[in-house]
Amino acid sequence: MRITAVMPRQDQVCALVDSLENMGYKRKDMIITNMAKSESDFEDDPDDIIDIKSEREGFGEKEPYTDTFSDRVKYGILVSLEAPEKNAARIMEIMEQSGAVEVIKE
């Protein structure tokens, strides 16, 4: 299951990442991206947008990861990770304690 936190500030993201790492999740397994960066013109220079991953990259497509959330989330920094269902409640609690304005569980 994927759990995504919408964080308003970068310092909160750093605290969340540290907490998740303390739980045993590696930084490389997290997707962290800024909704504001996805508003730029992606087609003109897709390499200019940093730290945005897409699950479709394996298929040769380039599309911002944030497009998945653009209908629900208008601002903030997204922190996503895959976790087993048994850890979901604890992860969501940590996300909220770190300052998440919204937590999305998919």
Side-chain angles (χ1 to χ4, degrees):
M1 113 170 356
R2 177 180 303 138
I3 305 171
T4 303
V6 181
M7 310 295 288
R9 297 189 332 256
Q10 187 168 347
D11 61 318
Q12 294 171 318
V13 172
C14 294
L16 175 58
V17 169
D18 287 345
S19 297
L20 293 172
E21 285 179 336
N22 289 338
M23 280 188 72
Y25 294 96
K26 295 180 178 14
R27 166 60 183 94
K28 67 179 182 86
D29 297 329
M30 299 176 209
I31 297 174
I32 302 173
T33 188
N34 192 333
M35 288 299 292
K37 290 189 182 295
S38 70
E39 296 297 321
S40 62
D41 197 357
F42 187 72
E43 282 74 28
D44 288 345
D45 191 3
D47 296 325
D48 189 39
I49 301 175
I50 58 170
D51 205 18
I52 292 183
K53 283 187 176 181
S54 170
E55 293 177 337
R56 298 180 182 188
E57 284 178 357
F59 299 116
E61 297 177 25
K62 287 199 169 193
E63 178 179 293
Y65 178 74
T66 54
D67 281 0
T68 307
F69 300 96
S70 61
D71 292 339
R72 295 179 276 185
V73 179
K74 301 299 178 202
Y75 71 95
I77 302 168
L78 303 179
V79 179
S80 296
L81 76 138
E82 294 285 333
E85 178 73 36
K86 66 180 182 175
N87 297 343
R90 179 68 182 134
I91 292 169
M92 292 172 71
E93 180 182 340
I94 289 171
M95 289 175 166
E96 289 172 0
Q97 289 173 350
S98 298
V101 293
E102 185 176 354
V103 176
I104 302 165
K105 185 170 112 174
E106 300 175 307

